[in-house]
Amino acid sequence: MEHKEKTQLLRSEEILKIIAKYIEKNDFCDRSTIITVNDVILNDKMDKAEVYISIFPKEKELFVFQAIEKDVYNIQNYLNKNLKCRFAPRIKLLLIQEK
């Protein structure tokens, strides 16, 4: 594994943990809803990150995802403060639709 690949992997894991912690701390839903940050994919320049989120139960996923999406500015600021690197990537939240 090359240095760049290792760096991307470590940084994506760190971003995943930080965003999951933010979602856990902030109350986006009631106790009957499960929100999971499944994956973070960084581009080659490591300046953009796609964050994949799944929400259960299916009936609440659009409502909860919209609430999280509205708070993306605060999530980005939280990431900027807590990520241990010079530049934090811009995040894009994506919903994983369960069948």
Side-chain angles (χ1 to χ4, degrees):
M1 192 181 281
E2 290 182 31
H3 176 72
K4 188 174 185 176
E5 292 171 344
K6 284 183 183 178
T7 305
Q8 278 183 318
L9 181 64
L10 290 172
R11 191 162 298 162
S12 64
E13 288 174 359
E14 193 174 353
I15 291 168
L16 187 140
K17 289 176 187 175
I18 291 169
I19 292 175
K21 186 176 179 181
Y22 181 87
I23 288 174
E24 185 180 330
K25 282 173 57 176
N26 293 283
D27 196 22
F28 289 108
C29 57
D30 56 4
R31 290 265 189 214
S32 65
T33 305
I34 300 171
I35 303 171
T36 309
V37 181
N38 291 40
D39 199 10
V40 174
I41 298 176
L42 287 163
N43 67 348
D44 288 337
K45 293 181 183 178
M46 290 190 270
D47 63 344
K48 294 179 185 171
E50 295 179 343
V51 180
Y52 292 90
I53 297 174
S54 62
I55 300 166
F56 183 81
K58 189 173 175 53
E59 299 82 41
K60 296 183 180 183
E61 73 181 8
L62 287 177
F63 174 75
V64 174
F65 185 72
Q66 287 173 350
I68 294 171
E69 236 180 359
K70 284 180 186 176
D71 204 33
V72 75
Y73 177 78
N74 292 326
I75 295 170
Q76 183 70 56
N77 285 337
Y78 186 77
L79 181 65
N80 294 347
K81 290 177 185 173
N82 292 290
L83 189 63
K84 296 174 180 129
C85 65
R86 185 175 289 175
F87 300 107
R90 294 286 141 217
I91 59 171
K92 179 179 181 182
L93 300 174
L94 300 166
L95 179 64
I96 297 176
Q97 300 263 336
E98 298 294 326
K99 293 180 182 179

